[in-house]
Structures are given as structure tokens and as C-alpha cells.
Amino acid sequence: MEYRTSDLNLSAYLRTKYNLKIKKLEPDPDDKDRAFFIFVYDKDFDIEKAVNDFFNKSDECSVNIYMREISDLRSWLRNYRVNRE
């Protein structure tokens, strides 16, 4: 199954806490400066609960790994934008 988001912080959380893999980046048709992270996950994984836990601050993850993921995802976005042009 797939989950799409353009939220960098949520994406870093999903990668840090649940080790979800990003299948690809897709352009946002409404905003050329944004991209969607396309996550793949197993049908048994409750993605809605994971997203709700993030926004409701009901869960924790390693801040060190989270910050590293933020940095990695920002680099990925920069490379994506440069190669798209």
C-alpha cells in the first residue's frame, strides 16, 4: 500500500519511528516547488494511527535519528528539484 505526504517532518518521523521506505518522490501538480514523498507499507500497518500519533504528540522517536532523517530528506528534495529542471 502507499501513503503520500509533502510534510517533511512527518516523513522523517515515519522513517525514524517505523522505518518506512520511500518508493519515490512525485511532483505536486499544484505547486512546482513541492514534492510528495510516496511511502510503501504493509497492509497490516496502521498508517492512520502512526500519522495521528505524530500530530497528537502521542509517540516518541530518537531525536538524533530524526534530525539525521530531516537532513537526508532535505538533500533528497534538493536533488529532486535540481534534476527535474
Side-chain angles (χ1 to χ4, degrees):
M1 303 185 80
E2 292 184 352
Y3 178 75
R4 301 165 42 107
T5 183
S6 61
D7 188 319
L8 180 70
N9 295 316
L10 174 59
S11 295
Y13 169 77
L14 292 173
R15 288 182 49 86
T16 302
K17 181 69 179 185
Y18 300 104
N19 197 30
L20 291 185
K21 304 299 181 204
I22 297 174
K23 177 180 176 181
K24 63 182 176 177
L25 292 177
E26 281 186 357
D28 182 341
D30 298 327
D31 184 348
K32 69 178 181 105
D33 293 327
R34 287 184 14 179
F36 287 102
F37 295 98
I38 311 300
F39 285 91
V40 290
Y41 63 94
D42 173 300
K43 67 177 179 155
D44 296 327
F45 181 71
D46 190 350
I47 190 73
E48 286 186 34
K49 180 180 180 334
V51 171
N52 288 338
D53 286 347
F54 173 76
F55 285 109
N56 290 322
K57 301 174 181 90
S58 304
D59 209 349
E60 297 177 354
C61 65
S62 166
V63 70
N64 291 334
I65 298 170
Y66 177 80
M67 294 308 294
R68 197 173 11 203
E69 287 296 338
I70 290 273
S71 178
D72 289 349
L73 293 176
R74 281 187 179 134
S75 294
W76 194 351
L77 283 171
R78 275 192 303 274
N79 289 333
Y80 175 77
R81 288 180 186 129
V82 166
N83 289 316
R84 199 178 49 155
E85 294 174 357

